[in-house]
Amino acid sequence: MAAANGASLGIDPNAGAKNTLKLENTEKRDSLIAVEKKYQAQWQKSGVFQSNAPTFAEEPLGALSAAELREKHPKYFATFAYPYMNGAVHAGHSFTASKVEFAAGFARMEGKRVLFPLGFHCTGMPIKACADKLVDNVKKFGKNFERFDEEEDAAEANSALPAPTQTVTKDDITKFSSKKSKANAKTIKMKYQFQIMLALGIPREEIHKFADAEHWLEYFPGLCKDDMNSFGARIDWRRSFVTTDANPYYDAFIRWQMNRLRELDKIQYGVRYTIYSPKDGQPCMDHDRTEGEGVAPQDYTALKLRVKEWSPEAAELIKGRIPDSVNVYFVPATLRPETMYGQTCCFVGPKIKYGIFKVKEDEYYVVTKRAAWNMAFQGTFFESDHFPRSESELQAVVEFTGSSVVGTLVEAPLSIHKDGVRILPMESVLATKGTGVVTSVPSDSPDDYATVKDLAKKADYYGIKKEWAELEIPPIIETPSYGNLTAKYLVESMKINSPKDAKQLAEAKDLAYKEGYYKGKMLIGEFKGESVEAAKPKVKDTLIKSGQAFAYAEPNGHVVSRSGEECVVAYLGQWFLNYGENDPEWRQMALDHVSDGMEMYNSETRNGFQKNLEWLNRWACARTYGLGSKLPWDPKFLVEGLSDSTIYPSYYTISHFLHGDIFGKTSGKFSIKPEQMIDEIWDYIFCRRELNEDLIHKSGIKKSELESMRREFEYWYPLDMRVSGKDLIPNHLTFFIYVHLALFPREYWPVSIRANGFLLLNGEKMSKSTGNFLTLSEAVKKYGADATRIAMADGGDGVEDPNFEETVANSSILRLYTLKEWIEEVAKDDSLRKGPTDTFWDKLFENEMNGLVHEAKQHYAATDYKAALKSALYDFTSSRDFYREATTAAGIGMDHKLVERYIELQALLLAPIAPHWADYIWQEVLKHSSTIQNALWPNVPLPSASLSAAREYVRATTSAITSAEANQLKKQAKGKTTSFDPKRPKKLTIFAASSYPAWQEKYIDLVREEFEKTHLANDKELIGRVSKMGETKKAMPFVQGLKKRLVQGGEKPEMVFERKLAFSEVETLGEMVPGLQRTTGCRAVEVVLIEADGVGMSHGKRVETLPQSAEQAVPGTPSFYFENVE
C-alpha cells in the first residue's frame, strides 16, 4: 500500500536499495528465516534476556561490598547509543549494535549475568522540526496531499538555480577540527517532508498524523523494537523508555542530573558565541542540523577602516543618502591582528555586492549582507533580547558592487601608512567568507603579496593608480626559515607568478601561518620582541579597547538547521556545560581517565579523545524549541539532545522498577509515582548519599524498594562497554565521560568505549540517492538475521570504515543451510565408526577443534569478531572437511563421538554471532532441553603442541605434493617438458631426514640466546643478527621457522633447541600414505628415511639409489619424487 501511495507521487520507498544485490532463488533463505522466527518468539516468550542483580535472598544486604558482589557474581553491562526516533534503524546503526550484541552473547557464555538494554532518543529539534514542516505541507496540499502536482513542482524546481557552494579551508591553525558526516548521511534530499515520510514507507493516508510530534514517539519505537528483535538482539526490553518529558520518570532523572551539575558549578550562565538558527530563535547544536555537523564559530577581529575620501563613483552613489558628518568604516575580518602594522591596502571583490549598514546615528559599516546578518546577532545592529527573525528586518542604506569603491582612501588601524591606504580590487575575495572586505598585509600573506604585485604590474588593466599598490611593505615578523618578509620569500622561492596560482598560494599560506605563529617574533609595535603566539591576543585586545576593532564570529562552514534555514553565529546569554579549559580540574580528570583508566580497544580512539579533550570548550546545554525536559531552574529552556544523553545508561539499571511501558503510563515492578523520584532519591540510588528515615518519609517510597534499586545500580555499574560511531567522539562520547566523572563515585566510572567507523555497503558509502542503502529491516528480510550478522562480523573491527559486503551475506545463507543439512543427515547416520576414538586422524581432529575453541575465545574476548568468525566458522568447518576427507581416504570413516562433539562445538562457537542457527542445532539436533542462550563456553583441553605440529606438517606436505603434480599437468598442457607424465601410472617417493645440516647449529644457538633474553619479542634485533652472519637467504626461513614453533606453535623450547620434532615424522608420513595415494592417483607411495650419513632406509631395508631431491630433505620438511612406473 505504501509503495503504491508513494509511486503516485513519484516516490518509491524501495528506491534507496535499488542498486543493492538482487536475490533470485530464496528457498534456502526462507527456510533459515523460518527457524529464526521460531527462536525469536521462543526467546521473547521465555524472557531469556531479562537479567537482574542478585536478590537479597541470594546475597543479603550489607553482606558484601558492591565490588565483592560483582566479583562473586560476574556481570557484563554494555550499550550503544540509543537510536533517534525519526526513521527506521539503518544498517550502519545496527552495525554498531552488533558489537554490543556479539559481546553480550559471548559474556553470557562466560557465565556472566548480562544486561543489554535499549531506549529511544526523542530529544531535540529534528522530530519537532519535521512535524512542523508537515503542518505546513498539510495546509498547502491537503490532509492526504491530494493537491500536490508533481509536474508543476518539478518545473518550479528546474527553474531555480542551485546555490553556490564553497570549499572551506582551515584558517586558524590553533583550533582542532573534526570532519563528520553523520548528520549529512541522515538527510534525505527531498523538497517536502511528506515525500520523506513516503520514502520511509509510511502510507500516505497516515502521514498527516505525524504533524503531531508526539505521534513520532508512539510510532517509531515500535518499529525499532521489531527490527532489533528480527535481528535476534539480546535486549532486555523491560528497561526501555523514551526520552523527553513524555516519560515523567526519565524527566525526573534528567532534572536531577542538571540540578546536580549546576550545584557542582559544571553548568553556568554566560554570554558566548554559538551557532544559531534565526528562524528557530535558538542555538543550533550538532544534532539539530541537516548540514554542518561539527561546524563551530570562527572568531575574527573585525577592524574599522574609516573612510577618509570616497572614490568619485562611490561619492556619487552615497550623495544625499548618508550624512557627510558621519563615520563610515570598511570592516575587514582578520585572523591575524598581530600583522595589522603591515597593512598597505584593503581589498574588495569587484563583482561582489556590498551594503552600507547603519550601526548608530554617526556610524556605518561597509560589509556584505551575509556578514551584516551575522553581526545582527552579535550586538551590532540589534540587542540580544530583540534578535531579528527575517533578513527583511536588516536593510542596507546603500548597495553597490565592489568595483564602485575602488580607489577609496581609508585609515588603517596600526598601519605605518598614516596618510591612509586605498581600497583595491581582488578577484579571489569570497562573499561567503568573512565580511567580503579583506585587509592586505603583503609582508606576511602570500596571497596579498602576489595580488599587490599583479596590481602594480597591470595598474591600467585594473583601473587603478600604480602607486596605490606600491606602498612600502614593512617587515613586521622575523621567522627563522623565511626571514622578515615571509610572503615575499615564499612567493619567489615557490615561483608563484600570479594570484591565480591558487594551489601553490594555499600551500604558501599554510607555511607562512604556521611559521609565523609558532616561531615568529614581533619586529614592530607595542609588543616588539615578543613571540607572535604571545602578542596576537594582546594586539587584538588593544585594538578592541581603543575602539578600532571589535570581535566578530561566523560559522566556519555551512550550517543548515532542521527547520531548513542557514545558521549564523550569535553572541548571547545561555546555559552551558563548562567543559574544557575553564574547568581545568574537570578536564584533567577526564584526560587521566581516558589515558589510563579506560579500555579503548585501539590507539586511534584514545588519541581522538585526548585531542578532543584538549580542544573542546563550553557547550550550550539548553534551547527553547524542540522536545525535551525543561531546565529545572529556568523552565523556558529545554535540555538539548546531547546533554540529556550522557549518563542515561545508569537509568537503565532501575527503569523497570519505575515504569512498565516506555512512556511511564503504567507502573513498573514497584508502584512509585514520578513525583516521588525527588533529587535526593536519585542521589541515594546512585551512591551519592546514604538513606535515612527523613528521606524515606519525604519520598514516601518503601525502604526495601529503595534498597533494591540501589542494589541494581551498584551491581550493574560501572558500564563495561559503550559502543558508538567514531563521529560521536567530539561530542556525545566526550560528554559521556565528563558527566560520569562529575556525578558518580570513581568506582562507577565507565570501563571501556569502543568506536567504529561509518559502515560502507559493498565497499561504497551508503546513500539513498545512489540506491546503495539498506535499513536493518531490509537487510534481515533480504538475507535473514544470521547471515546479516555474519556479514556484520565479517565487516571489520577497527575505527576504519567497516564494509557490509552483500556477497558475504548471500554466501552465508548457502553456508549455513548446507551445514545445517549436513549436520541433520550425519546426526542420523548409523554407519559412522563406533569404538575407541584413537586413530591418528581422530587425534588430529579433536586436537584441532580444541585449538580453535581456545582461539575463538581469545578473539571474542578481544572483541575481534572478524577473527572470531574465522576461527568459529570458516576454520572450524575446514577442520571438519579435512577430517572427513582424511578418514575417507584412509578407509576408516569418521568417528560418531567426534562428529557429535564437532556438532556441539560448532553450535557453541557460533552462538554469539549466529544464535538462531546455533539454537536450532542445539535443541532440535542435539536434543538439549533448554536454549543455547544459557549454555556456557566449552571447556576443552589446551591443544597438544605435538599434534598441532603434526597437523601443520600434514597440511604443508600434502599441499606441496599436490601442487607439484598440478604444476606438471600445467606444463604438459602447454607442451613443455615434464619430469614425469602425470597421466601415466606413477609412484611417489617421500624422503624424510633424520637430522639437520651442520650449518644450522649456529642459528639454533642464536635463537636460543634471543629466546632466553626477550622471548623473541624484538624481531628487528633478531633479523639484524641473522643478517650479519652472512647466510641470510637460507638462514632466515630456518630462523623464522624456529620462531614460529616456539611462539605460535607453543612447542617446548627443549624440543626445538635439541633439534627434535614434536612428532614422529616417519609415522606421520605412514599415516598419510593411503590419503596421498588416493589424492595423487599413484600406484604406490613409499616413505624413505634419510639417515645422518646420507643412506636411505625404507621398511628396514637400504635404498641404494637416491634421486638428487633426497638431499633437500630436512627434519619437518620432506622432499619427494614422482616417477612413472609400468
Side-chain angles (χ1 to χ4, degrees):
M1 184 65 181
N5 286 326
S8 69
L9 293 175
I11 304 294
D12 179 6
N14 301 312
K18 66 183 179 183
N19 289 330
T20 59
L21 188 67
K22 303 296 184 291
L23 302 188
E24 295 180 1
N25 300 316
T26 63
E27 294 86 356
K28 294 179 176 64
R29 178 204 66 184
D30 296 341
S31 171
L32 293 173
I33 287 178
V35 168
E36 291 166 357
K37 294 301 179 187
K38 174 182 176 178
Y39 284 94
Q40 287 164 9
Q42 184 186 110
W43 298 335
Q44 293 304 314
K45 183 178 179 180
S46 67
V48 68
F49 304 134
Q50 295 178 4
S51 296
N52 301 295
T55 64
F56 293 130
E58 292 176 272
E59 295 295 341
L61 181 67
L64 297 172
S65 69
E68 290 169 339
L69 182 69
R70 294 189 294 269
E71 184 177 359
K72 184 175 180 180
H73 301 273
K75 62 90 184 179
Y76 190 79
F77 179 20
T79 65
F80 72 101
Y82 45 21
Y84 197 76
M85 292 296 102
N86 64 344
V89 178
H90 59 76
H93 209 135
S94 49
F95 176 81
T96 301
S98 75
K99 301 305 178 185
V100 181
E101 176 60 23
F102 301 152
F106 177 66
R108 293 178 70 93
M109 300 188 77
E110 290 184 296
K112 298 175 182 177
R113 302 187 191 206
V114 174
L115 178 57
F116 175 14
L118 186 63
F120 309 107
H121 198 205
C122 308
T123 307
M125 279 183 57
I127 290 174
K128 177 63 174 166
C130 291
D132 288 350
K133 288 178 186 177
L134 283 174
V135 171
D136 294 338
N137 291 176
V138 170
K139 286 179 182 178
K140 185 172 183 179
F141 301 118
K143 181 178 177 181
N144 292 322
F145 316 102
E146 60 273 8
R147 295 196 299 271
F148 176 73
D149 188 319
E150 183 185 345
E151 292 183 5
E152 181 181 318
D153 187 71
E156 181 183 326
N158 289 335
S159 67
L161 292 174
T165 59
Q166 171 193 353
T167 300
V168 179
T169 56
K170 181 177 175 181
D171 290 313
D172 190 344
I173 58 171
T174 67
K175 296 289 181 70
F176 170 81
S177 65
S178 176
K179 296 180 180 179
K180 296 174 277 295
S181 61
K182 186 175 180 181
N184 294 346
K186 290 179 180 176
T187 306
I188 305 170
K189 295 293 184 182
M190 296 181 186
K191 186 173 181 180
Y192 298 108
Q193 183 64 38
F194 81 87
Q195 295 173 313
I196 296 174
M197 308 305 284
L198 284 169
L200 291 174
I202 297 170
R204 182 168 60 173
E205 62 273 12
E206 296 289 320
I207 291 175
H208 69 92
K209 296 178 183 179
F210 291 87
D212 177 3
E214 297 300 319
H215 188 65
W216 296 67
L217 279 61
E218 295 168 0
Y219 183 84
F220 284 110
L223 283 186
C224 177
K225 182 176 179 179
D226 289 345
D227 288 349
M228 296 305 293
N229 280 339
S230 71
F231 186 58
R234 300 172 172 91
I235 293 172
D236 184 349
W237 291 112
R238 299 172 304 157
R239 301 171 186 263
S240 299
F241 55 86
V242 294
T243 64
T244 77
D245 53 9
N247 183 321
Y249 295 96
Y250 188 77
D251 186 57
F253 166 70
I254 294 301
R255 285 187 280 109
W256 161 79
Q257 172 188 330
M258 302 309 283
N259 279 332
R260 292 298 180 252
L261 287 171
R262 189 185 181 208
E263 289 169 7
L264 292 167
D265 205 29
K266 305 303 182 188
I267 294 179
Q268 300 177 357
Y269 186 84
V271 181
R272 61 191 291 270
Y273 290 115
T274 189
I275 305 293
Y276 185 87
S277 169
K279 182 176 180 179
D280 301 326
Q282 66 173 8
C284 185
M285 309 312 289
D286 271 1
H287 283 203
D288 299 329
R289 306 171 187 175
T290 57
E291 292 182 51
E293 187 175 356
V295 171
Q298 174 66 68
D299 299 333
Y300 289 93
T301 303
L303 277 94
K304 297 165 66 174
L305 278 62
R306 186 177 65 85
V307 174
K308 299 181 70 174
E309 176 186 311
W310 288 101
S311 68
E313 185 177 346
E316 192 64 31
L317 279 170
I318 67 170
K319 188 176 182 180
R321 303 172 76 176
I322 296 177
D324 293 337
S325 60
V326 304
N327 289 317
V328 181
Y329 298 93
F330 281 76
V331 184
T334 181
L335 292 167
R336 304 195 65 186
E338 75 281 5
T339 66
M340 293 303 99
Y341 301 100
Q343 295 176 85
T344 64
C345 64
C346 181
F347 296 127
V348 293
K351 298 176 184 178
I352 292 175
K353 189 176 182 180
Y354 295 88
I356 300 179
F357 296 88
K358 183 178 180 179
V359 181
K360 48 191 175 183
E361 288 304 318
D362 61 347
E363 191 168 329
Y364 293 73
Y365 291 166
V366 178
V367 292
T368 59
K369 179 65 176 285
R370 174 186 168 278
W373 185 236
N374 263 277
M375 291 177 184
F377 299 89
Q378 298 170 29
T380 300
F381 304 113
F382 298 86
E383 297 298 325
S384 61
D385 53 349
H386 292 98
F387 281 162
R389 287 296 183 96
S390 167
E391 290 192 36
S392 63
E393 298 178 56
L394 179 66
Q395 296 294 330
V397 179
V398 182
E399 289 186 324
F400 49 80
T401 56
S403 59
S404 302
V405 294
V406 169
T408 296
L409 184 67
V410 294
E411 185 180 89
L414 298 185
S415 172
I416 68 165
H417 298 291
K418 301 304 179 184
D419 293 335
V421 300
R422 297 287 176 171
I423 302 295
L424 298 179
M426 187 182 197
E427 296 288 348
S428 59
V429 171
L430 297 173
T432 52
K433 192 172 184 182
T435 62
V437 180
V438 180
T439 190
S440 173
V441 184
S443 59
D444 287 80
S445 168
D447 287 281
D448 295 354
Y449 183 82
T451 299
V452 296
K453 288 300 178 185
D454 191 59
L455 288 170
K457 185 178 179 181
K458 304 174 184 175
D460 291 341
Y461 172 80
Y462 289 110
I464 65 170
K465 293 182 180 180
K466 186 177 182 181
E467 58 266 27
W468 292 350
E470 290 187 325
L471 296 187
E472 177 191 352
I473 300 175
I476 55 174
I477 295 173
E478 180 73 42
T479 66
S481 301
Y482 312 130
N484 60 18
L485 289 173
T486 293
K488 181 177 186 294
Y489 178 92
L490 287 170
V491 167
E492 293 177 353
S493 63
M494 295 175 70
K495 294 181 172 54
I496 297 172
N497 300 313
S498 163
K500 295 180 180 179
D501 293 339
K503 185 176 179 181
Q504 291 167 281
L505 282 169
E507 182 182 350
K509 175 183 177 180
D510 188 54
L511 293 171
Y513 198 171
K514 287 180 179 176
E515 178 81 8
Y517 182 78
Y518 291 114
K519 299 179 181 179
K521 183 178 290 187
M522 299 298 297
L523 297 175
I524 191 171
E526 183 181 353
F527 307 104
K528 179 180 179 180
E530 294 191 24
S531 69
V532 169
E533 194 169 359
K536 179 177 179 174
K538 296 178 183 178
V539 175
K540 178 176 182 176
D541 189 53
T542 299
L543 283 165
I544 291 174
K545 285 181 177 178
S546 68
Q548 295 176 297
F550 59 92
Y552 167 71
E554 64 182 31
N556 64 5
H558 187 63
V559 181
V560 178
S561 75
R562 294 280 177 184
S563 57
E565 184 186 49
E566 184 173 0
C567 292
V568 297
V569 166
Y571 189 64
L572 75 167
Q574 58 187 295
W575 293 104
F576 57 83
L577 277 153
N578 197 30
Y579 302 133
E581 62 187 6
N582 294 293
D583 192 334
E585 183 179 352
W586 195 16
R587 179 169 70 173
Q588 192 58 50
M589 283 173 62
L591 274 168
D592 290 344
H593 192 55
V594 162
S595 300
D596 302 314
M598 295 184 76
E599 171 62 59
M600 293 289 184
Y601 302 97
N602 57 70
S603 59
E604 292 94 331
T605 299
R606 194 180 306 280
N607 292 338
F609 275 107
Q610 290 168 338
K611 289 178 181 177
N612 192 55
L613 284 164
E614 291 168 1
W615 165 81
L616 180 70
N617 216 323
R618 294 168 169 172
W619 183 270
C621 62
R623 74 168 83 73
T624 57
Y625 175 81
L627 304 179
S629 296
K630 292 181 175 63
L631 211 54
W633 61 89
D634 199 350
K636 67 177 178 291
F637 287 105
L638 299 170
V639 181
E640 65 94 23
L642 285 174
S643 298
D644 84 334
S645 56
T646 54
I647 58 168
Y648 68 87
S650 63
Y651 185 79
Y652 284 133
T653 64
I654 51 92
S655 58
H656 62 303
F657 289 126
L658 302 177
H659 48 82
D661 66 283
I662 62 174
F663 296 100
K665 294 178 180 178
T666 58
S667 297
K669 186 175 181 180
F670 303 146
S671 298
I672 298 172
K673 297 177 181 177
E675 56 268 24
Q676 292 178 281
M677 295 302 294
I678 57 178
D679 286 355
E680 295 89 340
I681 290 298
W682 294 108
D683 287 336
Y684 169 71
I685 292 170
F686 297 141
C687 303
R688 291 170 52 86
R689 62 162 292 166
E690 294 306 318
L691 193 61
N692 58 37
E693 291 301 322
D694 289 342
L695 182 54
I696 295 170
H697 177 75
K698 184 178 179 181
S699 69
I701 302 174
K702 296 176 183 177
K703 181 180 180 182
S704 60
E705 293 176 348
L706 291 170
E707 290 171 341
S708 293
M709 288 192 286
R710 176 142 168 178
R711 162 63 68 89
E712 200 81 7
F713 171 76
E714 286 181 329
Y715 178 69
W716 290 116
Y717 249 57
L719 183 64
D720 294 287
M721 183 171 74
R722 175 68 167 177
V723 183
S724 290
K726 64 183 178 184
D727 58 309
L728 295 183
I729 291 175
N731 43 59
H732 164 70
L733 289 174
T734 301
F735 302 167
F736 162 83
I737 294 170
Y738 260 123
V739 181
H740 269 87
L741 271 56
L743 293 182
F744 296 122
R746 179 178 288 272
E747 181 180 351
Y748 303 106
W749 291 0
V751 175
S752 76
I753 290 177
R754 195 180 196 287
N756 54 258
F758 301 111
L759 185 68
L760 303 175
L761 181 58
N762 303 321
E764 301 289 339
K765 180 181 176 181
M766 278 208 292
S767 169
K768 284 195 172 182
S769 62
T770 62
N772 192 54
F773 189 86
L774 277 181
T775 64
L776 175 59
S777 175
E778 289 167 341
V780 170
K781 287 174 182 174
K782 191 172 185 178
Y783 299 110
D786 284 338
T788 297
R789 293 164 68 107
I790 287 173
M792 287 187 175
D794 187 73
D797 297 296
V799 291
E800 64 278 0
D801 290 347
N803 182 34
F804 183 94
E805 190 64 58
E806 287 191 277
T807 55
V808 173
N810 193 31
S811 64
S812 296
I813 294 172
L814 179 61
R815 184 184 293 273
L816 290 174
Y817 182 85
T818 305
L819 185 55
K820 171 177 161 289
E821 277 204 326
W822 181 85
I823 287 174
E824 288 170 332
E825 291 172 7
V826 79
K828 302 171 186 175
D829 188 351
D830 292 331
S831 68
L832 294 177
R833 174 164 46 90
K834 307 293 193 298
T837 308
D838 59 359
T839 71
F840 175 74
W841 302 111
D842 292 342
K843 293 174 183 176
L844 286 191
F845 182 41
E846 184 173 22
N847 185 71
E848 186 169 19
M849 286 196 294
N850 291 343
L852 288 170
V853 168
H854 286 284
E855 193 176 285
K857 183 177 182 179
Q858 290 175 353
H859 293 317
Y860 275 126
T863 72
D864 291 335
Y865 301 115
K866 186 179 179 75
L869 178 68
K870 181 178 182 295
S871 300
L873 179 59
Y874 304 139
D875 291 350
F876 211 72
T877 52
S878 292
S879 176
R880 177 214 59 179
D881 294 343
F882 183 87
Y883 175 63
R884 180 174 56 184
E885 292 162 8
T887 53
T888 299
I892 58 175
M894 296 185 293
D895 177 79
H896 81 287
K897 290 180 183 177
L898 274 184
V899 169
E900 184 175 327
R901 182 60 171 158
Y902 162 78
I903 295 171
E904 181 178 59
L905 290 176
Q906 180 66 88
L908 290 168
L909 266 61
L910 209 49
I913 293 174
H916 311 84
W917 184 93
D919 215 356
Y920 173 86
I921 299 299
W922 188 254
Q923 294 193 55
E924 300 195 29
V925 176
L926 296 175
K927 306 302 180 183
H928 288 282
S929 59
S930 62
T931 175
I932 200 170
Q933 298 283 8
N934 291 327
L936 296 178
W937 188 262
N939 184 18
V940 301
L942 288 170
S944 158
S946 62
L947 287 172
S948 295
R951 178 66 182 85
E952 287 305 310
Y953 177 87
V954 170
R955 270 202 179 105
T957 303
T958 302
S959 176
I961 290 170
T962 55
S963 295
E965 185 183 27
N967 286 335
Q968 293 297 311
L969 281 167
K970 287 179 183 177
K971 289 174 71 175
Q972 189 180 60
K974 293 178 181 179
K976 297 182 179 179
T977 304
T978 59
S979 57
F980 70 99
D981 186 347
K983 296 179 181 179
R984 290 177 52 210
K986 54 187 179 290
K987 174 187 176 183
L988 170 65
T989 305
I990 305 173
F991 303 101
S994 62
S995 60
Y996 289 89
W999 65 267
Q1000 294 178 354
E1001 290 289 345
K1002 56 185 176 183
Y1003 294 101
I1004 291 279
D1005 294 338
L1006 185 152
V1007 173
R1008 181 191 288 113
E1009 184 182 330
E1010 286 293 323
F1011 182 79
E1012 291 171 353
K1013 191 164 62 175
T1014 68
H1015 280 268
L1016 302 177
N1018 192 338
D1019 210 37
K1020 188 175 180 181
E1021 182 177 340
L1022 179 65
I1023 292 171
R1025 291 190 64 183
V1026 172
S1027 300
K1028 290 179 181 178
M1029 296 173 74
E1031 298 172 300
T1032 306
K1033 190 171 182 180
K1034 67 176 180 178
M1036 195 62 74
F1038 173 68
V1039 168
Q1040 292 295 350
L1042 293 176
K1043 180 181 176 181
K1044 184 176 180 180
R1045 290 176 63 187
L1046 289 162
V1047 179
Q1048 297 175 16
E1051 293 186 42
K1052 293 180 180 180
E1054 55 269 25
M1055 293 290 291
V1056 176
F1057 295 134
E1058 289 175 14
R1059 299 165 70 77
K1060 295 178 181 177
L1061 293 178
F1063 60 95
S1064 169
E1065 185 173 10
V1066 172
E1067 289 180 11
T1068 299
L1069 286 170
E1071 297 284 358
M1072 292 172 62
V1073 165
L1076 287 172
Q1077 195 163 356
R1078 177 174 173 173
T1079 302
T1080 61
C1082 289
R1083 287 191 176 180
V1085 175
E1086 182 181 11
V1087 177
V1088 176
L1089 177 65
I1090 307 299
E1091 302 282 8
D1093 57 3
V1095 173
M1097 300 293 295
S1098 176
H1099 301 293
K1101 296 181 180 179
R1102 183 184 180 106
V1103 179
E1104 296 296 338
T1105 306
L1106 295 173
Q1108 189 175 357
S1109 59
E1111 299 176 9
Q1112 298 169 6
V1114 294
T1117 308
S1119 59
F1120 50 87
Y1121 177 74
F1122 282 102
E1123 59 184 318
N1124 290 118
V1125 293
E1126 295 302 330

